[in-house]
Structure formats: C-alpha cells, structure tokens
Amino acid sequence: RLTVSPSSSQFFQYDFVSLSCEEDDSSAGWTLRRNTSKQERTQCGDGWGTPAGSSCNIRYTYPSDSGVYWCESREGTVSNMVHLTVTGGSVILQSPVLPVMEGDDVTLLCKTKTTPSNLPAAFYKDGSLIRKH
C-alpha cells in the first residue's frame, strides 16, 4: 500500500512530501515508481526523490512532479495508485489522498501558501455549494 505524508493529493511548489510503500508479511521489496507528463515510469532516485528504506522523500516539489505514483514489487505486484498535483499557485484544496468510505468524516481545507489568514472560502461538490466559511 502506498501512503503519502502529509496526507494530501495537492501540494505547493517547494513543499516536502514523503511516499512510503507499506510492506506486508511477504517483504517482497517494493520500488516506488511514478509516471508524469514528462517522464515515463521512472523510479525514486532516477532524477527525482531520495530513497530512504521503503520510503521516498521529495524535499522540494515542483509542478513537474505532478503525476501518478505507485509501489511495485520485484514480482510485478502493483499497489494502489495515487495522483499528486503540485501547483505554483497560492491556494490548494487539502483533502485526503486515499479514498474514503461512505459515511466517513472528511476534512477539507483551503490552504494558502502565505501566512494563514481568515479569508472567506466556499466549498462546492459537483457544482453545488456545500459550505461557506
């Protein structure tokens, strides 16, 4: 299973992100891979990220790091896939990176790149307003 810390699918440019392959009892030895619009199926350490055991740390994210990430065993078993987006913009929607089950509580956060402020925010789902702050 691939986990992302902090648990978010959107990041600002220059953020730190750690991706981990959680191994089961088989200890098959997992490799973290990604597929971006510019690069095809590369692994952690091949021009991006720093391997750290079963984790891969990206010290400074860039928009070019946006893409699909997954763990792959030597046998070819593939974990869940996670799509990460890195923006050079000033606002992101911070939401859980992994799917949630129906009925689960979910916290959505409009996060600004600059010092936290009490700016108004409106949250929409499928084009319909669900909450204003």
Side-chain angles (χ1 to χ4, degrees):
R1 187 171 92 123
L2 171 61
T3 58
V4 180
S5 181
S7 180
S8 182
S9 57
Q10 293 191 17
F11 294 91
F12 291 118
Q13 185 170 315
Y14 308 125
D15 277 352
F16 173 88
V17 62
S18 180
L19 303 114
S20 299
C21 297
E22 291 185 358
E23 298 186 39
D24 58 16
D25 293 338
S26 68
S27 298
W30 294 88
T31 300
L32 188 80
R33 298 192 184 278
R34 78 175 186 182
N35 194 345
T36 66
S37 60
K38 293 185 179 181
Q39 297 178 334
E40 289 289 316
R41 201 174 172 274
T42 57
Q43 69 183 47
C44 180
D46 285 355
W48 65 274
T50 303
S54 62
S55 297
C56 180
N57 298 325
I58 303 176
R59 186 177 299 262
Y60 299 109
T61 56
Y62 294 94
S64 59
D65 291 313
S66 296
V68 178
Y69 291 75
W70 69 93
C71 300
E72 196 173 293
S73 72
R74 283 183 223 125
E75 291 78 23
T77 305
V78 174
S79 73
N80 57 307
M81 294 190 174
V82 171
H83 189 277
L84 300 182
T85 303
V86 180
T87 180
S90 57
V91 178
I92 59 173
L93 174 64
Q94 196 169 47
S95 60
V97 68
L98 299 175
V100 293
M101 301 302 289
E102 184 176 345
D104 286 353
D105 288 337
V106 175
T107 300
L108 302 176
L109 174 68
C110 283
K111 190 174 173 186
T112 58
K113 190 169 180 70
T114 55
T115 312
S117 60
N118 290 326
L119 294 174
F123 295 86
Y124 293 83
K125 179 183 180 284
D126 299 330
S128 298
L129 179 68
I130 55 175
R131 183 132 188 203
K132 267 186 173 179
H133 277 288

